[in-house]
C-alpha cells in the first residue's frame, strides 16, 4: 500500500502503539528501552524506535516489516525487502559495529530517513540504548560513505520501505516537502458558499490553525463541490458524499476558512483547499483590538474524539506540511511576528492565541487538544521551520520596489481595513457617531449595510470635514 510520506521530526506521542510493546498493549515485539520511556516503552533504543517507525510509515496497524534483532542484523532479517546504497524517504539505515555481526563486539545502529536534502545529505530520526534523550533528529552527510557515524561503525545499506513511492533525491524547490509549487494541495473550491461569494481579498501575514470542535473527522462533513462543478463526480468520489447537506457549501453561513484537513473517502488524511489563499477569512471572529481575519490564512482540522494518537499524528503532520508550503509560498518566517493593530502577533498561531491577543473570539482550539499529545503552537513553529530547513532555499532576489509596486501593495493593505471589523470596546462611541450622522460611512457592504471602514485611515481633509460637521451639530457654525 503506497502512502504519502510525512516526516517525523518530533518524538512519538503518548499512546502511539508502534512504539509500545505488545505486553503493554502496543504493536511492537521489541524489548523495552533503557531508560524506559514513560509513554513509549520501546524507547530509548535504536532498534525499538526504527522498528516502530518503519512500520508506522507503512501504516498497516501492526508491526509487519523487519525484525527487532540487533541493529547490525536488520538487513539479514529484512524478509526480502529491497536494500540499496542510495537514500530514500522512510528507509532504515543500518550500521555494523565490529567485525563479527554477532553482537559480541557491538550491536550496531539503525536510523530512519525522514528528509532528503541531496543525494549526499539527509535528515534522520533516531533513538539509542542508554541515550539521555529517547528521540532526536540528525543531519547526516555521506562523507566517506559512513553517513556521519563514528569510525567504529560500518554503513551496510538502506532497507527501503515498500509503502513509500520512490522520489528523486535531487535537491530542488522544496524536494523534501509534501506540498510544493509543482504539487499543491488538492482543491475543491466552494464557490456557492456565503464566504466565497462575499469575502474580499487580503494581504497575507501568516497562518492560523483551527479545529472543528465536533467528533467527525471526515472532510465531507464540511467540504462538497459546487453543484455545477465540472469535476463534481470525481471530487465526491475522493472526498465522499455529505448526505445531510450540512456542509459549508450548501448553507448560508457567516464563516469561512481556506482549507480543511481530515479523512477522505478512502481513509487517507489530506488537506483540501476550498478557496483562494488571499481571500479574507471569516474564521476567528473579532476581539477588543481587531481580527486576525485580516491577513491570516486559516484552516480547520477535523476533530475525532480527541483520544486517537495515530489520527492526531496524521492530521498534525498534514497541518505542518500545509503550513510549511504556505510559508514558502508567501515568504513567511514561521518563527516570526507581525505587528498588527498595535499587537505583536506570531506569524503562526491558533484561534485561542488570537483570542488571548484581543484579535479573535473566545475559542479554545487548538489548545484543548494538542497538549494531550505533547504539542503546542511553539512545537508547530519548530516543526514547520525544520521542514522548511530541509527544503532548498529560494535564492531568487526580491524584485526592486518601485513607486508603482509600493502603491499596489499599499492599496492592497488598505483594502483590508475598509470594512466593518472593529473591537467591542468602541461599540458605544460608534453607535453614537452613526446615529447622530457624524460618521456616514462610504459605500455598502455585500449584505447592503453601510460600510463604515472603521479601521481605515483618516486624512486631514476628512478630519476637517468631521470637525466641521460636529461644530454644526453643536450650533457653532
Amino acid at each position: 500500500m503506497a502512502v504519502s510520506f510525512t516526516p517525523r521530526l518530533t518524538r512519538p506521542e503518548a499512546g502511539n502503539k508502534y512504539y509500545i510493546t505488545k505486553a503493554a498493549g502496543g504493536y511492537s515485539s521489541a524489548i523495552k528501552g533503557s531508560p524506559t520511556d514513560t509513554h513509549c516503552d520501546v524507547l530509548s533504543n535504536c532498534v525499538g524506535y526504527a522498528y516502530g517507525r518503519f512500520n508506522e510509515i507503512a501504516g498497516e496497524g501492526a508491526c509487519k516489516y523487519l525484525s527487532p534483532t540487533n541493529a547490525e542484523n536488520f538487513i539479514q532479517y529484512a524478509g526480502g525487502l529491497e536494500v540499496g546504497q542510495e537514500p530514500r524517504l522512510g528507509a532504515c539505515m543500518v550500521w555494523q559495529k565490529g567485525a563479527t555481526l554477532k553482537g559480541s563486539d557491538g550491536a550496531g545502529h539503525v536510523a530512519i530517513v525522514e528528509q532528503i536534502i541531496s543525494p549526499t545529505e539527509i535528515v534522520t530520526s533516531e533513538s539509542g540504548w542508554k541515550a539521555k534523550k529517547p528521540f532526536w533528529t540528525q543531519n547526516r552527510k555521506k562523507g566517506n560513505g559512513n553517513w556521519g557515524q563514528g569510525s567504529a561503525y560500518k554503513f551496510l545499506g538502506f532497507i527501503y520501505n515498500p509503502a513509500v513511492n520512490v522520489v528523486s533525491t535531487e535537491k530542488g524547490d522544496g524536494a523534501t516537502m509534501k506540498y510544493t509549487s509543482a504539487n499543491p494541495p488538492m482543491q475543491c473550491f466552494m464557490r456557492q458558499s456565503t464566504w466565497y461569494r462575499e469575502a474580499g481579498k487580503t494581504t497575507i501575514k501568516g497562518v492560523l490553525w483551527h479545529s472543528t470542535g465536533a467528533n467527525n473527522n471526515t472532510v465531507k462533513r464540511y467540504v462538497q463541490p459546487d453543484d455545477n462543478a465540472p469535476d463534481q463526480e470525481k471530487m465526491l468520489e475522493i472526498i465522499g458524499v455529505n448526505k445531510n447537506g450540512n456542509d459549508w457549501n450548501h448553507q448560508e453561513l457567516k464563516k469561512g476558512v481556506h482549507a480543511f484537513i481530515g479523512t477522505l473517502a478512502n481513509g487517507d488524511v489530506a488537506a483540501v483547499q476550498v478557496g483562494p489563499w488571499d481571500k479574507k477569512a471569516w474564521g476567528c471572529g473579532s476581539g477588543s483590538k481587531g481580527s486576525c481575519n485580516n491577513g491570516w490564512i486559516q484552516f480547520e482540522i477535523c476533530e475525532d474524539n480527541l483520544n486517537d494518537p495515530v489520527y492526531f499524528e496524521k492530521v498534525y503532520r498534514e497541518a505542518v506540511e500545509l503550513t510549511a508550503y504556505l510559508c514558502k509560498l508567501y515568504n513567511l518566517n514561521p518563527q516570526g511576528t507581525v505587528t498588527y493593530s498595535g499587537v505583536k502577533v506570531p506569524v503562526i498561531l491558533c484561534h485561542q492565541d488570537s483570542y488571548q491577543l484581543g484579535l479573535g473570539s473566545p475559542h479554545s482550539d487548538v489548545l484543548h487538544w494538542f497538549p494531550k499529545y505533547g504539542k503546542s503552537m511553539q512545537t508547530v513553529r519548530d516543526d514547520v521551520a525544520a521542514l522548511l530547513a530541509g527544503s532548498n532555499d529560494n535564492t531568487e532576489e526580491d524584485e526592486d520596489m518601485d513607486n508603482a509596486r509600493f502603491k499596489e501593495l499599499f492599496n492592497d493593505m488598505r483594502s483590508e481595513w475598509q470594512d466593518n471589523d472593529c473591537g467591542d470596546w468602541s461599540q458605544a462611541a460608534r453607535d453614537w457617531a452613526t446615529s447622530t450622522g457624524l460618521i456616514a460611512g462610504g459605500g455598502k457592504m455585500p449584505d447592503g449595510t453601510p460600510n463604515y471602514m472603521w479601521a481605515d485611515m483618516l486624512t486631514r481633509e476628512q478630519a476637517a470635514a468631521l470637525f466641521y460637521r460636529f461644530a454644526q451639530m453643536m450650533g457653532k457654525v
Side-chain angles (χ1 to χ4, degrees), residues 95-99 105 140 144-155:
W95 288 268
Q96 175 183 345
K97 188 175 184 182
D105 52 356
R140 290 184 174 274
N144 62 1
N146 213 32
W147 288 98
Q149 200 66 6
S151 59
Y153 293 82
K154 176 186 177 182
F155 181 67

Side-chain angles (χ1 to χ4, degrees), residues 247-307:
D247 56 276
W248 287 19
N249 202 23
H250 290 86
Q251 300 182 78
E252 289 294 323
L253 295 174
K254 282 290 184 179
K255 54 186 176 181
V257 294
H258 301 89
F260 289 82
I261 293 173
T263 305
L264 302 177
N266 66 358
D268 289 347
V269 167
V272 180
Q273 182 185 358
V274 298
W277 300 123
D278 63 351
K279 184 176 282 291
K280 181 179 175 181
W282 289 355
C284 68
S286 298
S288 61
K289 298 179 181 178
S291 175
C292 281
N293 285 337
N294 295 316
W296 273 261
I297 296 172
Q298 301 183 31
F299 59 80
E300 292 273 2
I301 303 173
C302 298
E303 293 185 11
D304 62 351
N305 61 9
L306 309 186
N307 292 319

Side-chain angles (χ1 to χ4, degrees), residues 41-63:
D41 63 354
V42 302
L43 308 178
S44 300
N45 186 3
C46 69
V47 167
Y49 173 75
Y51 178 57
R53 176 59 180 147
F54 196 89
N55 283 283
E56 180 187 37
I57 294 167
E60 298 283 356
C63 286

